[in-house]
Amino acid sequence: MSQPAAVLQKPDMADLPAQHPATPRSPAEARARYFNSGNAFNIKLPPVPSRLFTDEPARALAEGTSTGFIPCDQSDALTCGFPATTPLMLARYAVVEAGGRFTADLRATGSIWYVIAGRGQVDCLGESLSVAPGDAFLLPGSPVRITAGAEKLVLWVVSNEPQLALNGDLPPDEARRPVAVVHYPAAEIARQIDIIYDHAQNGETSGIALIFSSEPQAAARNILPSLTLSLNTLPPGEHQRAHRHNSAAITLVLQGENCHSMVDGARCPWSQWATLVTPPGAPHSHHNEGNARALFLIVQDGGLHYHARTMGFSFLE
């Protein structure tokens, strides 16, 4: 009696390499690559590291630091070919020596700046701002000239340069700029915080925070189309309850003694002017065990997620 023929097992489509066209008839056809449902969705990218940058602000504030940028760069850990703090955002400290001048031309839709120390003048697109400690300002993607006063000027800046680098985009031109130059003086920021504290929060409110926007972005409540900026506060002895969201967050600690954050189960003790990276989706909370109000500035790629309907915000306690 004859035995049934052996059933030949097909190779797994997931093991196929990228397929090339068999007989391309033009350079355009030759550039094509073909994948399948087995090998197209199994890309393993490294996660966004949670990290507390403390050496960078120390260098920025140290005596003798030269004019220029000090990046909070995690591109090696992210395996991307351009400087990045998170996949879509880049944070830096900027130093301008006393009486010096610094010119920057960021390849970004726009950039968010905060004055840590010193006073100076900012010139961009024909507008001039006099800036001082505690001021924040927004600049469109255009050359900027920053001039320091009698003391060294130290700033913190976050942009969406990695987002444009990923897409190979250029900053928007005059006809397409989604933002203008905007100045948020420290005194007005403090006034706005007082207004918030005069009102109650409900059970769905995520902490006590001031959200920065401008006339062109007011409908979306963003500061840039893809980025959000908030100044979060914590009264003494309180904490912002644990939560998560799909946007990555970059936080600048403005003030807060005996404060810390919990990020994905790890305790991150605060130090003034440190930059904290909260990975997307990571459970996190902020805690004030001191005797004074805590303040921390947070930039997120939340505008992108709000637009895509993928924010995924949820409380965990």
Side-chain angles (χ1 to χ4, degrees):
M1 185 175 179
S2 61
Q3 297 294 321
V7 177
L8 295 178
Q9 185 170 355
K10 294 181 180 180
D12 192 331
M13 69 173 68
D15 296 328
L16 278 170
Q19 297 297 297
H20 295 235
T23 55
R25 294 170 296 178
S26 70
E29 288 187 16
R31 298 184 194 108
R33 298 295 181 269
Y34 300 89
F35 294 90
N36 63 69
S37 52
N39 66 5
F41 309 112
N42 59 358
I43 299 172
K44 298 286 191 294
L45 295 175
V48 178
S50 171
R51 183 170 172 183
L52 191 64
F53 289 90
T54 55
D55 291 343
E56 289 73 10
R59 284 170 53 200
L61 290 162
E63 291 293 331
T65 303
S66 300
T67 294
F69 281 130
I70 300 173
C72 300
D73 187 13
Q74 300 201 105
S75 55
D76 286 347
L78 296 170
T79 64
C80 62
F82 40 80
T85 308
T86 70
L88 301 178
M89 297 182 287
L90 175 60
R92 298 182 178 99
Y93 295 86
V95 176
V96 188
E97 297 172 86
R101 180 174 291 174
F102 180 45
T103 300
D105 189 4
L106 306 183
R107 295 172 64 92
T109 308
S111 51
I112 300 159
W113 302 70
Y114 181 85
V115 183
I116 292 174
R119 297 174 182 271
Q121 179 174 308
V122 177
D123 293 288
C124 182
L125 291 177
E127 297 192 54
S128 184
L129 310 178
S130 295
V131 298
D135 285 10
F137 55 95
L138 170 68
L139 300 178
S142 186
V144 57
R145 185 180 66 198
I146 303 175
T147 306
E151 299 178 350
K152 180 172 72 173
L153 184 60
V154 180
L155 309 104
W156 186 73
V157 54
V158 179
S159 73
N160 69 333
E161 289 164 271
Q163 178 188 340
L164 268 62
L166 176 66
N167 292 332
D169 287 345
L170 295 173
D173 58 23
E174 182 67 39
R176 300 180 300 120
R177 286 193 185 105
V179 295
V181 176
V182 185
H183 190 189
Y184 309 92
E188 182 60 30
I189 292 172
R191 190 181 78 86
Q192 294 291 337
I193 290 289
D194 288 341
I195 291 173
I196 295 171
Y197 268 84
D198 283 340
H199 292 74
Q201 55 180 315
N202 60 50
E204 297 303 311
T205 304
S206 176
I208 306 171
L210 176 66
I211 311 302
F212 295 79
S213 189
S214 66
E215 187 177 2
Q217 293 296 319
R221 276 65 165 171
N222 301 332
I223 192 164
L224 286 170
S226 62
L227 302 187
T228 60
L229 175 66
S230 63
L231 177 56
N232 286 31
T233 77
L234 272 177
E238 295 191 12
H239 78 283
Q240 184 181 19
R241 54 180 167 153
H243 59 283
R244 64 171 302 282
H245 40 71
N246 291 329
S247 58
I250 302 177
T251 300
L252 177 68
V253 176
L254 305 187
Q255 69 178 45
E257 295 183 3
N258 297 320
C259 295
H260 69 279
S261 297
M262 296 296 298
V263 181
D264 218 3
R267 183 185 176 97
C268 302
W270 287 15
S271 59
Q272 192 177 33
W273 311 127
T275 293
L276 171 67
V277 176
T278 303
H284 58 285
S285 57
H286 307 293
H287 304 258
N288 183 0
E289 297 171 351
N291 298 316
R293 182 186 296 176
L295 297 171
F296 46 114
L297 200 63
I298 303 179
V299 183
Q300 299 183 37
D301 50 15
L304 194 68
H305 286 281
Y306 284 128
H307 179 71
R309 285 69 166 174
T310 57
M311 193 61 172
F313 182 95
S314 61
F315 287 114
L316 304 177
E317 60 176 282

